[in-house]
């Protein structure tokens, strides 16, 4: 690689280094800043006097005797019962991921192995469904759900999120199963397996990389959802994101912005950990659709 | 695969999509033809020592009964579509008839809620999408050229703005651009204007939202382009070098043509996602200066006393129409390819 033709002029090296640093600051600084600031009081994080206060925290020091405080977290998690929302988010994401992967692997496998014309139409329909703004669907749910008296419960929301997630899951697993050679399950069927046995014995053992990648995106969809959860869950059953939105109205006016800041940081941290462990899978998932068309 | 086996595998998926995506679209279509019941008023006479007076009040009982009988409301045909808060045909013809020049027509139409939202949604979609592609491409080119050791951490931090919930991401930025936050204060110092606030003027709010959009979406374009760059054929690159192509010419005539299909893919995904932009409006509390179609629907469903199902449904139908128009070129291309194959 160190042939003279590939060596870059120093000015170009300096320019690209500067650009990468600039992009890193743009991408990461807001999060680090907010995380740091969440351990301060409002007078420091939103300082009228000097923005440096958010770093050093003189007001926090005066009020709490140390430059860091857990006040915001205490208020959000305990006083405003954010812990309930965290548990709800856990339940919703767990079931959404499990159910949509189960349905998705079965459906994606069928789409990848069937050569009939209707698979094309199903995939096109899924593409159109994927483009639907979620809030238009929600306006279709509300009235029937009120009528049937199933509005406001976690299971309803889970099923809805699974369905909204299906088009994406189907597309992704469909292209993943296409990359598994047909011979594998056909050989099993020649040996006397039924189609389902072939799926269970020959395909399931080799499908985990694709399933994990798809699962990550299902998780992100369920975890990040605001539209569906905020409209379909009752006040007691709210998940993290709509709960957090609730902090903004009245709480913000009471001088408790720091509750919202703490809650925002609490919602970001799990994503940090997720990216840390699954960076490779996330990148490969994002590009899977692109490379295979 | 036999039809029967195919169905056995796919029916749970199909059932979920039919029940919760296809039927709701029909339900939205049905609801859009109805409006809320008119209030039933009753007059009660209360007679006291100083004579009788009659009081008009809402007959809650009769209304509850009516709602139970016709939950969707009363039939209104296409009335909701043409009223002032949607397509507003009446208002527009009046505006055109009474305004003096084109500017006035434009300003007055921009005050109609549906057109205000439509214009912002389209502006957001068609400004953010190209910017995302260009920004993502630049980041990818530069990151591809840095030493391998730094690539992992750079990609890690690059993924953050995209994977974080839009609402959370916009809140984080919103707090920073607050006049007491770091960016807001820095801008005030930079322009030497203590009254400067990004939240005050509609233009600045629009720019803030576009900036947020690029910040949130650029990582996606970056990752896709970056993966594409790894597969640029070395032979072509080397022959370009032998032919004496400069660094810039190699990017212009080898890399860019090679990555074009990826750009199309990113554009498609971005058009779909940006058209439904919604959470940033809430995160940035921007509803006064910028609303989107999705936000209008949300707002109708959140209406203070009772949700305006009819109005929300009509906006939803118009939004779905927009999505279909947006996707038509893609569907047509797929259809042609499919026909060529069979």
């Amino acid at each position: 690689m160190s042939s003279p033709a590939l060596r870059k002029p120093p000015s170009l090296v300096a320019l690209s280094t500067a650009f990468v640093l600039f992009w890193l600051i743009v991408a990461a600084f807001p999060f680090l800043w907010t995380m740091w600031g969440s351990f301060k009081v409002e007078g420091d994080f939103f300082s009228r006097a000097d923005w440096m206060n958010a770093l050093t925290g003189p007001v926090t020091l005066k009020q709490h005797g140390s430059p860091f405080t857990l006040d915001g977290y205490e208020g959000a998690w305990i006083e405003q019962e954010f812990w309930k929302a965290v548990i709800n988010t856990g339940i919703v994401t767990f079931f959404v991921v499990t159910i949509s992967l189960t349905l998705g692997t079965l459906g994606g496998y069928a789409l990848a192995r069937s050569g009939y014309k209707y698979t094309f139409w199903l995939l096109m329909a899924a593409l159109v469904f994927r483009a639907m703004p979620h809030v238009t669907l929600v306006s279709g749910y509300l009235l029937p759900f009120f009528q049937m008296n199933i509005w406001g419960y976690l299971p309803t929301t889970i099923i809805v999120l699974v369905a909204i997630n299906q088009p994406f899951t189907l597309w992704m697993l469909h292209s993943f199963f296409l990359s598994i050679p047909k011979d594998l399950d056909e050989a099993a069927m020649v040996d006397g397996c039924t189609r389902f046995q072939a799926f269970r014995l020959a395909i399931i053992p080799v499908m985990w990389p694709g399933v994990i990648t798809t699962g990550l995106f299902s998780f992100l969809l369920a975890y990040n959802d605001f539209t569906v959860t905020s409209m379909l869950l009752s006040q007691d059953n709210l998940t993290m994101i709509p709960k957090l939105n609730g902090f903004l109205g009245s709480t913000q006016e009471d001088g408790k912005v720091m509750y919202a800041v703490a809650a925002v940081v609490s919602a970001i941290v799990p994503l940090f950990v997720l990216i840390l462990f699954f960076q490779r899978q996330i990148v490969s998932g994002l590009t899977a659709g692109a490379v295979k068309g | 695969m036999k039809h029967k086996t195919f169905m056995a595998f796919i029916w749970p998926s199909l059932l979920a999509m039919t029940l919760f995506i296809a039927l709701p679209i029909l339900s939205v279509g049905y609801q859009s033809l109805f409006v809320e019941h008119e209030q039933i008023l009753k007059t009660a006479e209360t007679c006291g020592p100083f004579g009788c007076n009659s009081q008009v009040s809402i007959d809650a009982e009769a209304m509850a009964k009516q709602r139970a009988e016709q939950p969707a409301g009363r039939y209104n045909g296409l009335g909701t579509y043409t009223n002032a808060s949607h397509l507003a045909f009446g208002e527009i013809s009046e505006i055109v008839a009474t305004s003096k020049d084109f500017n006035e027509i434009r300003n007055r139409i921009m005050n109609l809620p549906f057109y205000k939202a439509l214009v912002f949604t389209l502006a957001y979609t068609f400004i953010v999408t190209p910017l995302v592609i260009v920004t993502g491409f630049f980041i990818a080119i530069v990151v591809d050229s840095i030493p391998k050791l730094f690539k992992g951490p750079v990609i890690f931090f690059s993924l953050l703005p995209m994977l974080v919930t839009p609402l959370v991401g916009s809140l984080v930025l919103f707090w920073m651009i607050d006049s007491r936050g770091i960016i807001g204060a820095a801008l005030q110092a930079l322009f030497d204007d203590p009254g400067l606030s990004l939240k005050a003027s509609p233009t600045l709010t629009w720019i803030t939202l576009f900036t947020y959009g690029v910040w949130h979406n650029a990582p996606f374009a970056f990752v896709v382009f970056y993966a594409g760059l790894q597969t640029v054929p070395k032979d072509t690159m080397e022959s370009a070098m032998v032919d004496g192509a400069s660094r810039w010419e190699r990017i212009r005539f080898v890399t860019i043509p090679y990555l074009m299909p990826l750009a199309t893919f990113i554009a498609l995904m971005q058009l779909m996602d940006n058209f439904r932009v919604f959470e940033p409006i809430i995160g940035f509390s921007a509803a006064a200066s910028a609303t989107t179609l999705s936000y209008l629907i949300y707002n109708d469903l959140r209406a203070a006393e009772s949700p305006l199902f009819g109005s929300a449904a009509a906006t939803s139908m118009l939004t779905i129409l927009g999505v279909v128009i947006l996707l038509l070129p893609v569907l047509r291309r797929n259809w042609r390819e499919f026909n060529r194959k069979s």
Side-chain angles (χ1 to χ4, degrees):
Chain A
M1 278 303 281
S2 56
S3 75
L6 283 170
R7 202 171 297 141
K8 282 177 221 138
S11 60
L12 194 66
V13 173
L15 206 68
S16 56
T17 315
F19 185 78
V20 168
L21 283 180
F22 172 73
W23 165 247
L24 273 183
I25 292 173
V26 169
F29 177 70
F31 298 109
L32 302 176
W33 176 259
T34 310
M35 278 181 190
W36 180 269
S38 67
F39 295 102
K40 307 284 183 222
V41 293
E42 194 189 343
D44 279 332
F45 189 55
F46 294 99
S47 176
R48 281 183 200 287
D50 182 5
W51 64 269
M52 278 290 286
N53 285 1
L55 285 180
T56 51
V59 184
T60 320
L61 192 66
K62 211 181 292 168
Q63 282 180 15
H64 295 277
S66 103
F68 297 98
T69 170
L70 286 173
D71 253 22
Y73 289 91
E74 211 180 298
W77 280 71
I78 298 163
E79 193 192 313
Q80 300 284 331
E81 297 189 317
F82 195 66
W83 61 270
K84 263 191 193 166
V86 174
I87 295 176
N88 286 334
T89 301
I91 298 173
V92 168
T93 47
F94 175 78
F95 282 104
V96 168
V97 171
T98 333
I99 300 174
S100 45
L101 284 183
T102 315
L103 302 191
T105 37
L106 292 172
Y109 175 72
L111 286 173
R113 289 294 185 264
S114 170
Y116 290 104
K117 268 187 187 179
Y118 50 71
T119 53
F120 169 80
W121 289 111
L122 280 176
L123 285 170
M124 282 302 110
L127 184 70
V128 176
F129 283 166
R130 188 200 169 288
M132 289 292 147
H134 299 165
V135 73
T136 60
L137 300 176
V138 171
S139 72
Y141 300 137
L142 276 181
L143 199 58
F145 284 4
F146 281 140
Q147 293 297 308
M148 288 185 274
N149 232 343
I150 51 172
W151 179 87
Y153 303 110
L154 289 178
T156 319
T157 307
I158 290 172
I159 299 289
V160 166
L161 282 175
V162 165
I164 286 187
N165 209 356
Q166 269 312 291
F168 173 78
T169 319
L170 279 183
W171 261 97
M172 201 146 168
L173 285 168
H174 154 80
S175 51
F176 174 72
F177 281 121
L178 280 181
S179 72
I180 297 180
K182 259 187 181 154
D183 307 349
L184 201 64
D185 35 335
E186 269 161 17
M189 281 164 70
V190 169
D191 289 347
C193 285
T194 64
R195 179 58 88 164
F196 192 77
Q197 280 169 329
F199 175 72
R200 192 162 60 90
L201 298 171
I203 296 294
I204 286 185
V206 296
M207 74 178 186
W208 295 111
V211 171
I212 288 174
T213 309
T214 317
L216 280 170
F217 286 89
S218 303
F219 171 85
L220 285 172
L221 179 123
Y223 187 87
N224 285 346
D225 179 86
F226 169 71
T227 321
V228 175
T229 45
S230 72
M231 302 299 285
L232 290 188
L233 287 173
S234 61
Q235 202 59 38
D236 295 334
N237 287 336
L238 285 184
T239 51
M240 275 154 81
I241 306 299
K243 178 90 179 175
L244 203 159
N245 184 45
F247 284 0
L248 297 178
S250 54
T251 324
Q252 193 154 18
E253 271 130 44
D254 295 344
K256 289 176 182 165
V257 194
M258 293 322 284
Y259 289 13
V261 177
V264 157
V265 174
S266 314
I268 294 174
V269 168
L271 291 173
F272 245 89
V273 178
L274 186 87
I275 305 177
L276 206 59
F277 282 102
F278 293 105
Q279 181 173 330
R280 189 181 300 258
Q281 283 85 345
I282 293 173
V283 171
S284 79
L286 282 174
T287 50
V291 179
K292 284 161 200 152
Chain B
M1 196 185 266
K2 285 194 202 103
H3 298 307
K4 215 176 138 192
T5 344
F6 180 76
M7 275 316 285
F9 271 98
I10 209 165
W11 73 265
S13 246
L14 272 188
L15 184 72
M17 290 204 292
T18 320
L19 278 183
F20 294 102
I21 302 181
L23 279 185
I25 294 176
L26 294 182
S27 150
V28 164
Y30 177 78
Q31 282 179 44
S32 68
L33 304 177
F34 292 82
V35 284
E36 290 66 38
H37 292 292
E38 276 170 20
Q39 290 180 335
I40 304 171
L41 302 177
K42 64 177 176 188
T43 343
E45 291 237 323
T46 43
C47 289
F50 307 107
C52 296
N53 54 3
S54 56
Q55 245 177 352
V56 181
S57 63
I58 296 169
D59 189 344
E61 205 177 303
M63 281 199 69
K65 196 173 150 225
Q66 197 181 31
R67 261 197 217 123
E69 277 164 8
Q70 295 174 291
R74 66 196 154 83
Y75 185 71
N76 191 31
L78 293 176
T80 316
Y81 287 96
T82 52
N83 73 9
S85 44
H86 296 88
L87 292 176
F89 291 139
E91 283 72 10
I92 288 187
S93 50
E94 197 219 303
I95 287 172
V96 172
T98 58
S99 298
K100 285 188 292 291
D101 54 3
F102 180 72
N103 257 345
E104 193 184 339
I105 296 182
R106 199 189 60 193
N107 289 341
R108 286 175 66 183
I109 288 183
M110 276 295 286
N111 278 332
L112 297 167
F114 179 78
Y115 290 97
K116 190 181 159 194
L118 181 69
V119 167
F120 180 79
T121 311
L122 290 177
Y124 184 89
T125 312
F126 289 103
I127 289 176
V128 170
T129 308
L131 283 180
V132 161
I133 294 179
V134 173
T135 321
F137 179 73
F138 269 110
I139 304 173
I141 290 273
V142 175
V143 170
D144 193 44
S145 72
I146 62 172
K148 213 170 183 175
L149 183 67
F150 301 116
K151 283 181 183 170
V154 170
I155 294 176
F156 171 79
F157 285 112
S158 303
L159 286 175
L160 277 175
M162 169 182 55
L163 294 183
V164 158
T165 323
L167 185 72
V168 166
S170 46
L171 276 175
V172 165
L173 292 192
F174 181 66
W175 287 325
M176 290 175 74
I177 63 164
D178 188 283
S179 58
R180 294 167 298 153
I182 176 166
I183 299 181
L187 285 178
Q188 284 178 357
L190 196 67
F191 292 101
D192 201 19
D193 174 8
L196 181 73
S197 164
L198 288 178
K199 302 169 191 171
S201 91
T203 323
L204 288 178
T205 312
W206 279 43
I207 294 175
T208 313
L209 286 167
F210 293 156
T211 315
Y212 164 79
V214 174
W215 179 76
H216 174 66
N217 291 314
F220 172 65
F222 155 57
V223 169
V224 173
F225 278 135
Y226 179 76
L229 279 178
Q230 312 305 311
T231 62
V232 172
K234 284 229 164 59
D235 301 353
T236 325
M237 204 47 123
E238 272 160 17
S239 36
M241 238 182 272
V242 169
D243 290 348
S246 69
R247 198 173 296 276
W248 160 246
E249 281 167 339
R250 267 176 273 151
I251 291 182
R252 171 69 187 81
F253 294 107
V254 180
T255 316
I256 292 185
Y258 186 75
L259 293 182
M260 255 346 244
L262 293 187
T264 322
F265 164 77
I266 298 170
L268 167 69
M269 291 292 157
Q270 286 295 306
L271 286 179
M272 292 199 284
D273 288 346
N274 290 335
F275 192 72
R276 59 177 167 214
V277 53
F278 160 56
E279 280 112 325
I281 306 290
I282 295 180
F284 282 102
S285 315
S289 359
T291 55
T292 66
L293 294 173
S294 296
Y295 183 83
L296 279 189
I297 303 169
Y298 175 81
N299 211 26
D300 277 342
L301 294 174
R302 274 286 157 110
E305 310 93 49
S306 68
L308 303 170
F309 290 119
S311 169
T315 317
S316 296
M317 285 312 278
L318 293 169
T319 311
I320 292 175
L321 189 70
V323 170
V324 171
I325 293 175
L326 214 61
L327 281 184
L328 264 186
V330 185
L331 294 178
R332 227 177 49 195
R333 203 190 65 190
N334 272 312
W335 171 238
R336 273 205 214 113
E337 265 170 32
F338 176 71
N339 274 342
R340 214 178 302 140
K341 261 186 246 163
S342 56

